[in-house]
Amino acid sequence: MDQSSLTWIEEEMARAREAGLLTTIRTIESPMEGRVTIDGKQLLNFCANNYLGLANHPRLAAAAKAAIDRFGIGPGAVRTIAGTTSLHVELEHKLAEFKGAEACITFQSGFSANLATIPALVGPEDVIFSDELNHASIIDGCRLSRARVVRYAHCDVADLRRKVAEAGPYRRGLIITDGVFSMDGDIAPLDEICEAAEDLGLLLMVDDAHGEGVLGRGGRGIVDHFGLHGRVHVEVGTLSKAFGVVGGLVTGAAVIAEWLRQRGRPFLFSSAMTAPDVAACIEAVNVLSESTELVDRLWDNAATLKEGMRSLGFDIGHSQTPIIPVMLGEAPLAQAFSRKLFEAGVFATAIGYPTVPMGKARIRVMNSAAHSREDLEEALDIFAAVGRELGVLTG
Ligand SMILES: *Cc1c(COP(=O)(O)O)cnc(C)c1O
């Protein structure tokens, strides 16, 4: 093989490394919990989207093991060719019922749910009105659809209406927004966006990845949070965050789920979730249907940690959800902060440009029902010590 044709990659990597734009991936030697083991050392874990602590829940693990005994592991092929197991069908029924939707279809991930859904709904003669801070998988889904994309100002419904009025002729129009924006923890004004969609005769799609299992009654998601059942055409969700497993879902009208079974390319051309994944997801729905305990604990923990961070003197932005951005400003400071936290026993990621704007670097603190009160107190002590050491906190 001619290695010289690959030297440009090494050059690009070197440039990125110099600019501090290469990510290093930590190796975890334990289950995803409130604490994880890295390099043989236990750390408090504030990185994961494991909102409800379901990633290592005994009931989910037992369900996954039982499913392997009954159904084996792999799906064999895509569902349209090799058929689908009764487990997959059961999960879709349970999710639709849990969320109060007419129907549900599952995918291998939230990412593939977006890649399936957007190109199945719109094409080159159509327009997508997209929040400027939407997730990468929405952006990629929009590109694949070849529809014209018009970005509106973040969560700004007046700007959305203005952009629709100025858009000129098109066949179909689709509004897409994240439900919860994962870098700041703010919630899309879906009630107002829904009114706009109804006034303007547009389709409406929300990607509720960070709201699934978090927002709404007992974690039923953003449509439930705003009481918009039956009014949002497509609600995309993930089974990889609060649900603690892996997979994606779309809920909405039965005709949408049926259409995606016929036309969603990641559904037609990529194999389904494995049997243990699906069984664990079914058990997650059971756990959430029986009690709001985990969701309540998540929100309690988040309130405690937000209050603690504020009284220490940290700027934690305007989050409306359990996501806490600890705002630090410049990327090198955020990176140094994250390193010091790590040395002191807290695993929390620094996030900088281009994921967030220049000068808005932060530590993103992810709450979980898996944290105990003692975990939170210990974390606050460590944040305080690092904050003083690096001059972020004075006094
Ligand atoms: C995390 C996320 C996804 C991707 O979900 P996966 O199941 O991990 O593929 C999609 N959309 C949004 C808004 C997300 O935050």
Side-chain angles (χ1 to χ4, degrees), residues 109-112 114 135 137 178 182 207 209-210 238-241 247:
S109 70
F111 203 113
S112 44
N114 279 327
H135 188 261
S137 57
D178 272 31
S182 62
D207 177 353
H210 281 273
T238 179
L239 300 163
S240 351
K241 290 177 174 140

Side-chain angles (χ1 to χ4, degrees), residues 4 9 23 36 41 54 60 138 155 161 180 185 204 233 238 252 263 291 296 305 322 354 381:
S4 65
I9 300 179
T23 54
V36 289
K41 185 176 140 185
L54 292 175
L60 272 66
I138 295 177
C155 288
R161 286 179 179 270
V180 174
L204 174 58
H233 297 100
T238 179
R263 291 290 184 275
S291 156
D296 296 343
L305 207 59
D381 287 346

Side-chain angles (χ1 to χ4, degrees), residues 131 154-157 177-179 181 187-194 222 226 228:
D131 187 292
H154 177 51
C155 288
D156 184 339
V157 182
T177 181
D178 272 31
F181 291 84
I187 301 175
L190 195 64
D191 47 351
E192 293 171 42
I193 295 174
C194 186
I222 193 167
F226 284 107
L228 297 172

Side-chain angles (χ1 to χ4, degrees), residues 92-362:
E92 287 167 347
H93 284 152
K94 285 217 146 151
L95 282 168
E97 189 186 24
F98 177 66
K99 293 174 67 67
E102 205 174 286
C104 171
I105 173 172
T106 55
F107 296 90
Q108 306 84 354
S109 70
F111 203 113
S112 44
N114 279 327
L115 297 196
T117 305
I118 301 168
L121 294 179
V122 287
E125 302 130 88
D126 303 320
V127 179
I128 298 168
F129 301 96
S130 177
D131 187 292
E132 63 182 344
L133 295 188
N134 274 345
H135 188 261
S137 57
I138 295 177
I139 295 170
D140 288 5
C142 291
R143 285 183 184 145
L144 281 175
S145 76
R146 290 178 293 147
R148 178 153 58 95
V149 179
V150 175
R151 300 195 331 159
Y152 62 89
H154 177 51
C155 288
D156 184 339
V157 182
D159 189 52
L160 165 63
R161 286 179 179 270
R162 204 156 39 237
K163 292 284 160 59
V164 175
E166 291 165 358
Y170 55 83
R171 184 184 60 170
R172 276 196 291 278
L174 168 67
I175 302 171
I176 310 183
T177 181
D178 272 31
V180 174
F181 291 84
S182 62
M183 292 304 144
D184 290 288
D186 52 334
I187 301 175
L190 195 64
D191 47 351
E192 293 171 42
I193 295 174
C194 186
E195 270 171 34
E198 286 169 352
D199 290 349
L200 301 164
L202 302 173
L203 287 167
L204 174 58
M205 167 171 162
V206 62
D207 177 353
D208 195 32
H210 281 273
E212 203 73 75
V214 174
L215 293 181
R217 292 165 305 147
R220 284 165 175 76
I222 193 167
V223 166
D224 191 85
H225 172 82
F226 284 107
L228 297 172
H229 301 92
R231 292 175 58 192
V232 176
H233 297 100
V234 177
E235 187 180 14
V236 172
T238 179
L239 300 163
S240 351
K241 290 177 174 140
F243 275 71
V245 191
V246 72
L249 65 138
V250 168
T251 47
V255 67
I256 297 248
E258 210 34 60
W259 181 241
L260 292 176
R261 281 191 180 86
Q262 304 299 327
R263 291 290 184 275
R265 289 170 69 85
F267 186 87
L268 296 173
F269 297 106
S270 180
S271 296
M273 297 162 71
T274 71
D277 292 332
V278 177
C281 289
I282 291 173
E283 198 56 21
V285 181
N286 291 341
V287 169
L288 291 186
S289 303
E290 284 164 26
S291 156
T292 62
E293 184 192 337
L294 293 176
V295 179
D296 296 343
R297 194 184 308 154
L298 166 69
W299 284 90
D300 274 358
N301 281 356
T304 302
L305 207 59
K306 278 183 187 174
E307 179 50 37
M309 290 287 187
R310 258 195 220 103
S311 53
L312 284 171
F314 284 111
D315 171 5
I316 58 166
H318 306 283
S319 171
Q320 301 163 276
T321 61
I323 297 167
I324 309 182
V326 177
M327 309 302 287
L328 293 168
E330 296 310 316
L333 175 61
Q335 278 165 2
F337 206 105
S338 175
R339 254 191 326 272
K340 293 268 179 201
L341 287 174
F342 194 85
E343 286 161 18
V346 168
F347 183 32
T349 323
I351 294 179
Y353 182 81
T355 310
V356 294
M358 286 281 192
K360 298 250 182 188
R362 65 198 66 182

